[in-house]
C-alpha cells in the first residue's frame, strides 16, 4: 500500500483491497481503542451475516426418588441473525506530506483509522448513534436499558462511589441478570483514581501488564473487567455495567480502500476540491456486525448534576 500511495501523488486514482491477513492490524487497532469490543463476544461473520442461537430459558433439574419419574425440562433457544454493515472513514492530508514520507504516513494512518472505527462502533453499540443495526422494533443498543444509577447518590460515609456501583449490581441481580464488566468514559477516570471501597482499598485496579492503546485504560471494578476510553459518555451517562455475554460483534473479510487526488470531499461542512488544494484523500471501508439481544441485562451510570460525584474517601 505504501508504494501505491506514493504513486498516487503523481498519477491519480487507484482502488484496492486489503485481505484479512493484511487488514487484521487495522481491526486490532480498533479493538484496542474500543471499550465495547473487548467486553463482548467476537464471532465470525459471512458476507450475508450469520444466525446465532441465543438462550431464552434454561433447563432445570429436580431431585427424584429411586425409580421415580424423572422431570422433563426444556431449554429454550432462538436464532438471531447478525448482519454486517459497512463502516467507512476518509483521511485527508496534503500531497507534500505523503510525498515526503509515504511509509510514515501509512504507519500513522493505521491507528487513526482504527480509533475512528472504534469510536463509531462504540457509539452505535452503546447509544444507537447513526446505527444501521437499530430499528423501532429492535433498539439493539445498550443505553436502551431502563436501569439507571446516578453516581454521587450515596453519601461519602455510606461508601460513596463503591455503593453507587454496587447499586447497579443490585438492580441487575434482582432482575436475575449478571454483571460481567464495565465500560466508562475517560471523563470518569479521575473519579475512579481517587475512589476507595468501604475498607479503604482503591476501587479501580488498573492492569499495567495488559497491552492497550493509550486511548483505553483496562482494569477491574468490583472484581470485573473494566475499560475506560473515549466516546462512551453522552448527555449525563458516563458508563455502563452489565452482562456483556448478551452482546456479540464481528467483522467480514478485509478492508477496501481507494485514494484520490481529484475528487471533491466535504471538509468541515464545505465541499473541497482535492486537486485545487493539492490534497490526498484515502477512503477506508470495512464491514462490522453487532447484536445486543438483551438490553435489560445492562445498567446506565449517570453523572450527578453539576458533575459532582462526591468525595469517596
Amino acid at each position: 500500500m505504501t508504494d501505491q500511495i506514493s504513486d498516487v501523488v503523481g498519477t491519480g486514482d487507484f482502488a484496492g483491497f486489503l485481505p484479512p491477513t493484511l487488514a487484521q492490524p487495522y481491526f486490532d487497532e480498533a479493538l484496542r481503542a474500543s471499550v465495547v469490543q473487548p467486553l463482548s463476544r467476537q464471532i465470525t461473520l459471512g458476507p450475508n451475516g450469520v444466525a446465532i442461537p441465543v438462550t431464552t430459558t434454561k433447563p432445570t433439574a429436580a431431585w427424584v426418588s429411586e425409580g421415580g419419574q424423572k422431570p422433563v425440562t426444556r431449554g429454550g433457544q432462538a436464532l438471531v441473525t447478525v448482519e454486517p454493515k459497512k463502516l467507512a472513514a476518509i483521511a485527508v492530508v496534503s500531497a507534500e506530506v505523503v510525498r515526503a514520507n509515504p511509509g510514515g504516513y501509512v504507519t500513522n494512518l493505521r491507528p487513526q483509522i482504527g480509533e475512528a472505527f472504534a469510536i463509531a462502533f462504540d457509539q452505535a453499540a452503546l447509544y444507537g448513534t447513526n446505527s444501521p443495526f437499530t430499528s423501532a422494533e429492535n433498539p439493539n443498543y445498550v443505553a436502551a436499558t431502563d436501569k439507571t444509577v446516578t453516581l454521587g447518590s450515596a453519601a461519602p460515609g455510606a461508601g460513596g462511589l463503591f455503593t453507587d456501583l454496587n447499586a447497579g449490581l443490585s438492580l441487575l441481580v434482582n432482575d436475575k441478570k449478571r454483571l460481567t464488566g464495565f465500560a466508562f468514559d475517560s471523563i470518569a477516570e479521575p473519579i475512579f483514581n481517587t475512589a476507595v471501597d468501604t475498607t479503604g482499598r482503591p476501587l479501580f485496579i488498573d492492569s499495567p501488564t495488559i497491552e492497550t492503546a493509550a486511548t483505553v485504560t483496562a482494569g477491574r471494578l468490583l472484581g470485573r473487567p473494566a475499560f475506560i476510553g473515549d466516546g462512551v459518555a453522552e448527555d449525563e451517562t458516563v458508563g455502563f455495567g452489565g452482562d456483556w455475554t448478551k452482546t456479540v460483534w464481528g467483522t467480514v473479510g478485509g478492508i477496501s480502500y481507494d485514494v484520490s487526488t481529484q475528487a471533491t470531499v466535504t471538509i468541515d461542512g464545505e465541499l473541497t476540491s482535492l486537486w485545487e488544494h493539492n490534497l490526498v484523500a484515502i477512503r477506508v471501508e470495512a464491514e462490522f456486525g453487532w447484536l445486543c439481544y438483551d438490553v435489560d441485562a445492562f445498567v446506565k451510570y449517570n453523572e450527578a448534576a453539576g458533575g459532582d460525584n462526591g468525595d469517596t474517601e
Side-chain angles (χ1 to χ4, degrees):
M1 188 173 179
T2 299
D3 293 338
Q4 291 168 316
I5 291 179
S6 182
D7 291 341
V8 79
V9 175
T11 60
D13 298 346
F14 77 94
F17 182 77
L18 294 178
T21 52
L22 297 180
Q24 190 59 46
Y26 287 82
F27 292 128
D28 290 341
E29 295 287 354
L31 174 60
R32 292 191 181 100
S34 169
V35 297
V36 174
Q37 292 176 12
L39 290 166
S40 303
R41 179 164 59 100
Q42 185 176 3
I43 61 175
T44 301
L45 285 180
N48 297 320
V50 62
I52 63 171
V54 298
T55 300
T56 55
T57 59
K58 296 181 179 180
T60 58
W63 297 102
V64 297
S65 61
E66 181 68 25
Q69 183 178 0
K70 310 307 186 288
V72 177
T73 183
R74 175 184 295 180
Q77 286 195 332
L79 287 177
V80 180
T81 302
V82 183
E83 296 182 354
K85 303 295 182 181
K86 185 171 291 187
L87 186 61
I90 297 178
V92 179
V93 70
S94 71
E96 288 82 2
V97 170
V98 178
R99 185 183 299 113
N101 187 9
Y105 177 67
V106 171
T107 300
N108 293 332
L109 176 65
R110 193 172 73 191
Q112 293 172 6
I113 293 296
E115 183 176 353
F117 279 176
I119 291 177
F121 178 91
D122 283 2
Q123 289 178 340
L126 295 175
Y127 296 101
T129 304
N130 299 321
S131 174
F133 309 109
T134 300
S135 65
E137 299 77 19
N138 180 26
N140 197 19
Y141 59 92
V142 175
T145 179
D146 59 2
K147 297 179 176 64
T148 303
V149 170
T150 299
L151 300 179
S153 300
L161 194 61
F162 175 82
T163 299
D164 294 334
L165 293 177
N166 199 56
L169 172 60
S170 180
L171 289 176
L172 291 170
V173 298
N174 289 339
D175 194 24
K176 302 296 188 289
K177 307 296 182 181
R178 300 168 56 208
L179 175 62
T180 64
F182 295 91
F184 275 94
D185 193 86
S186 298
I187 64 175
E189 185 173 4
I191 303 171
F192 289 119
N193 287 341
T194 59
V196 296
D197 63 15
T198 53
T199 62
R201 297 174 300 182
L203 184 57
F204 179 78
I205 308 298
D206 64 357
S207 302
T209 59
I210 296 178
E211 182 183 355
T212 59
T215 53
V216 173
T217 300
R220 301 186 75 82
L221 283 170
L222 303 186
R224 276 83 166 178
F227 292 87
I228 300 175
D230 296 334
V232 179
E234 183 173 298
D235 297 330
E236 72 274 14
T237 301
V238 295
F240 300 89
D243 186 359
W244 297 91
T245 66
K246 304 299 184 182
T247 62
V248 296
W249 73 281
T251 59
V252 178
I255 294 177
S256 60
Y257 64 91
D258 58 84
V259 176
S260 176
T261 58
Q262 306 294 319
T264 300
V265 298
T266 303
I267 302 177
D268 296 329
E270 295 184 0
L271 287 175
T272 302
S273 168
L274 299 177
W275 182 79
E276 288 182 342
H277 295 82
N278 202 26
L279 298 174
V280 177
I282 302 177
R283 182 176 62 190
V284 185
E285 298 177 324
E287 290 186 280
F288 286 81
W290 162 257
L291 175 66
C292 175
Y293 55 90
D294 187 1
V295 298
D296 294 329
F298 293 90
V299 57
K300 289 185 290 189
Y301 288 99
N302 291 347
E303 189 177 21
D308 182 8
N309 290 304
D311 185 0
T312 58
E313 296 183 354

